[in-house]
Amino acid sequence: MAEIPRKSLSEIVASQIAAQILDETYKSGYQLPAERDLIKQFGVSRSTLREALKTLEEINLIESRHGVGRFISELNENNLAQANQMASNGETLREASRVKITSEDSPQGPHRLPVTPEKPLIIPNLKTDRLGTFSFISWWEREKVENAKVMVVGAGALGNEVIKNLALMGIGSLFIVDFDTIELANLSRSVLFRESDSGRKKAEVAAARAKELNPNVHVQYFHGDITTTLGLGIFRRMDVIIGCLDNREARLAVNRFAYWINKPWVDGAIQEFFGLARVFVPGEGACFECTLTEQARRDLSIRYSCPLLARENILLGKVPTTPTIASIIAGIESQEALKLIHNKPVEPGKVIHFNGMTNEVHTTAYTPVEDCESHWSYGDITELPLRTNTTTIKDLLNIAHRDLGPDAVIELDQELILSLNCPQCGNREEILEPISAVGFKRAHCPTCGLLRETVMTHTLNGDEDFLSRTLASVGVPDLHILRAYNTEEYRFYELTGDLDNSLHFNHFERPADETPIKLTGRIKIKDVINLKERPKITIHKPVIKISGTKKDIEDSKKAVKITISSDKKDIEES
Ligand SMILES: [Zn+2]
Ligand SMILES: [Zn+2]
């Protein structure tokens, strides 16, 4: 027998009791049998029975009398209709789960029904509740799903599928990151993109379409390079990060960020008909960097003669993929994220390989590398009510010096290019921009064309001659967490003043007063019909449009009066 989610089970029990009330096995005004007898009769747990009784109480089919027990209510128009509805729903449910729970004719006996752990009873209205069916999943916790904040890094083939899945499942808030724009070749693998989107930002379009798929989901998009332009404070406020990336450097960056702020992340990779998916949880098993081969490590650490050229090479590389492998791997990634949201067990540091040519799936555990450079988590984070675009380097150094003494320095995440110097003609250009913002072209001397030397630093100690520059101007992203240290310890400072601007999840949100509110109601014409001379009522598809805030609409509803006239008298309905 297939396992039945407990919720359907309690509904089946409720429906059977309703049916027994309808056929007068239990009569109005009489006491319902004791709990233990009902438990025996239906072969369910106490909590399932109580859920069923609660349902019956909610539709006034039974009532509790304190200290006495439960009694069958007087039947009236309302509860009779609902009892009928419930009894017939139960019929469908029983058919669907192929269960009979009458004690006499169940071959395996009523006591063998599996019971899943405690879960509050919610009866979804499948006509109006788009996520209603998920409530039938025994372990689904709607509140956790609706409160979840998930970052999707990469809105390409994998990202499209993951974002689609998360939106359909009603994951509450999505933060979508990508630095790329849409070209027509993307359309073959991107369910969220249309031909007319050509040239638009992938992150923006994906976020807009996610909102369209499920308007209850809150979205925010970020068009930029994940490795340098997104503040760590954003990562810190996510529950799960899902990587939908196509290059090692970006994965390495996400891996380090996730470790620093102690967040799980899910990685996926696809090529032709092959794919893999894996979950990394800081401190549990291997991390992404641990999985790299010696060769890959060497590739990453190659010293290019020009650091600016090294960076540009990273952004190359296109991998051939299909929408089919993208949906398979993205499906696994989305499910792993769903498990993480529910605190269900995952297998961190293990990889699922899928070979679409042979349909072989295998799982392998990676060996954690002891001295892996990624294994470092930040300690307590000090939240400063400061903003990146108004706080100067000097301001932050003052705080660091106060906390850590005069030797404290600030350590930047990426190199700050101070100047470009020409060894041939002596040309010197002050830059003061992060390495990510300076292209390879600029490294060439404008006078003689030679490649200039790059002078850069990644610490700030207070001796600099640009201390009045703001943090934003030297490339610190909004809502970032900066590190300061002296010879003994580190401190971590978050520029929390940026929070409202940088993390809002309100892109493509309709302003509250434009949200259409469906007004439904019924005009009772019973009184009209009782008149001796029945008036003729003709209604030509009346449409009442009210715009304004929710309160305005409530007020208008109260004010609207519908008047129906007859020869005898006027009848008004509000
Ligand atoms: Zn590692
Ligand atoms: Zn020169």
Side-chain angles (χ1 to χ4, degrees), residues 274-403:
F274 301 89
L276 60 83
R278 48 205 176 178
V279 178
F280 297 113
V281 178
E284 295 178 37
C287 79
F288 171 72
E289 195 168 346
C290 297
T291 71
L292 296 177
T293 60
E294 272 310 310
Q295 182 58 47
R297 265 174 239 272
R298 272 198 297 277
D299 290 352
L300 282 169
S301 62
I302 282 177
R303 294 270 167 239
Y304 285 78
S305 55
C306 174
L308 292 171
L309 182 60
R311 225 198 96 72
E312 292 198 353
N313 276 343
I314 288 170
L315 306 175
L316 293 172
K318 297 263 177 193
V319 186
T321 61
T322 61
T324 47
I325 190 69
S327 59
I328 291 167
I329 296 301
I332 298 175
E333 288 194 86
S334 311
Q335 289 192 167
E336 292 303 301
L338 194 66
K339 280 148 76 176
L340 286 165
I341 289 165
H342 279 90
N343 297 319
K344 291 272 158 202
V346 292
E347 298 199 277
K350 278 192 180 178
V351 60
I352 303 160
H353 278 279
F354 177 73
N355 179 340
M357 292 309 272
T358 59
N359 286 342
E360 280 173 316
V361 182
H362 72 268
T363 310
T364 324
Y366 295 110
T367 312
V369 174
E370 212 152 283
D371 57 349
C372 173
E373 279 188 40
S374 281
H375 298 187
W376 184 43
S377 289
Y378 283 6
D380 290 341
I381 290 159
T382 308
E383 297 186 349
L384 302 172
L386 301 173
R387 302 177 69 107
T388 313
N389 63 5
T390 51
T391 305
T392 63
I393 299 172
K394 180 95 185 121
D395 295 334
L396 190 65
L397 268 169
N398 285 343
I399 293 168
H401 289 159
R402 181 198 69 198
D403 292 347

Side-chain angles (χ1 to χ4, degrees), residues 422-427 445-450 452:
C422 181
Q424 182 163 287
C425 72
N427 170 296
C445 176
T447 317
C448 70
L450 199 77
R452 291 179 289 183

